[in-house]
Amino acid sequence: MTAMKLRIGFLASHGGSNVQAIIDACKEGRLDGDPRVVICNNSDALVLERARKAGIATRHLSSATHPDPGALDAAIVETLRSHDVNVVVLAGYMRKLGPRTLAHYRGRVLNIHPALLPKFGGAGMYGKRVHEAVLAAGEKESGATVHLVTDEYDQGPILAQRKVPVMPDDTADSLAARVLEVEHQIYAETLARVANGSIKLEGL
Ligand code: GRF
């Protein structure tokens, strides 16, 4: 088992509470990680504010800054490389990663999904829709999944899962809040296991 400091590059779109949980874990010594840069496709997202407060570099990269998808992909990988990132963390990133970024960081891109994959994943399954689908299916439990990112939505190898109960009076919002709490725990814990070598990622 080889321990290794993670130099983390985040991609996020909105609030960034998962990014915050990981930043906090690094600060508090629960994760041997160095948050290097937060890339966001929305220039006014709260996640950028969180990053600035924590003294982490930020970049707004989107179809607004780079209308050509290939150029956007190249700018993303260039930004990550220029900050010497060795692991990429998607946290509520609402876009698909381009082929260059995926190729450069193959096997070293993690994502979190707010359900127990392989159930309730795939294209179109994001945000509130996931929790609505879980409730509509009458599931007794849901949870969060940390997985590696491949070319297919939500289909990469699963690294960690944690369950939460579904309550009879749950709404999509109440279930989402319960799931989000465990997301914050397992994302940082899984990265800590990568950092201490108990999860081995190809190319790290
Ligand atoms: C989380 O539920 C995550 O699973 C999903 O998007 C949400 C992001 O929340 N992919 P936040 O931006 O980390 O607060």
Side-chain angles (χ1 to χ4, degrees):
M1 254 180 12
T2 339
M4 123 104 51
K5 185 160 196 113
L6 301 184
R7 301 184 302 274
I8 305 169
F10 294 97
L11 283 114
S13 298
H14 301 297
S17 67
N18 277 289
V19 171
Q20 187 70 59
I22 294 165
I23 292 172
D24 293 347
C26 293
K27 258 196 212 143
E28 292 161 15
R30 288 178 281 122
L31 160 59
D32 190 14
D34 185 6
R36 291 287 172 115
V37 62
V38 173
I39 298 172
C40 182
N41 60 308
N42 291 317
S43 59
D44 59 353
L46 174 63
V47 69
L48 290 172
E49 188 54 37
R50 291 183 191 269
R52 283 184 210 111
K53 270 198 186 131
I56 299 164
T58 59
R59 280 293 293 278
H60 167 226
L61 295 174
S62 70
S63 55
T65 62
H66 296 78
D68 173 59
L72 175 59
D73 187 12
I76 289 174
V77 77
E78 190 39 47
T79 301
L80 295 168
R81 291 182 67 178
S82 71
H83 286 88
D84 201 20
V85 163
N86 65 357
V87 63
V88 178
V89 168
L90 307 188
Y93 185 56
M94 302 302 284
R95 296 280 176 274
K96 210 167 178 182
L97 274 191
R100 289 190 208 197
T101 308
L102 265 183
H104 187 82
Y105 285 102
R106 187 161 306 282
R108 296 184 285 154
V109 183
L110 281 73
N111 183 43
I112 191 153
H113 186 78
L116 298 173
L117 291 175
K119 282 178 164 182
F120 308 107
M125 271 293 180
Y126 56 85
K128 221 170 168 174
R129 293 190 195 187
V130 177
H131 306 291
E132 283 165 355
V134 168
L135 294 176
E139 296 287 318
K140 295 281 171 282
E141 53 189 17
S142 189
T145 304
V146 178
H147 65 97
L148 290 177
V149 174
T150 57
D151 304 325
E152 299 294 325
Y153 273 117
D154 300 331
Q155 288 191 10
I158 290 173
L159 301 180
Q161 275 185 326
R162 188 159 299 159
K163 292 177 178 172
V164 301
V166 175
M167 304 300 190
D169 58 351
D170 260 335
T171 61
D173 287 336
S174 63
L175 180 56
R178 192 173 312 117
V179 171
L180 192 61
E181 249 178 70
V182 301
E183 290 185 46
H184 296 163
Q185 299 161 7
I186 65 162
Y187 218 172
E189 286 172 18
T190 305
L191 286 163
R193 290 174 61 207
V194 172
N196 72 23
S198 59
I199 294 176
K200 179 86 192 93
L201 298 189
E202 183 195 318
L204 197 65

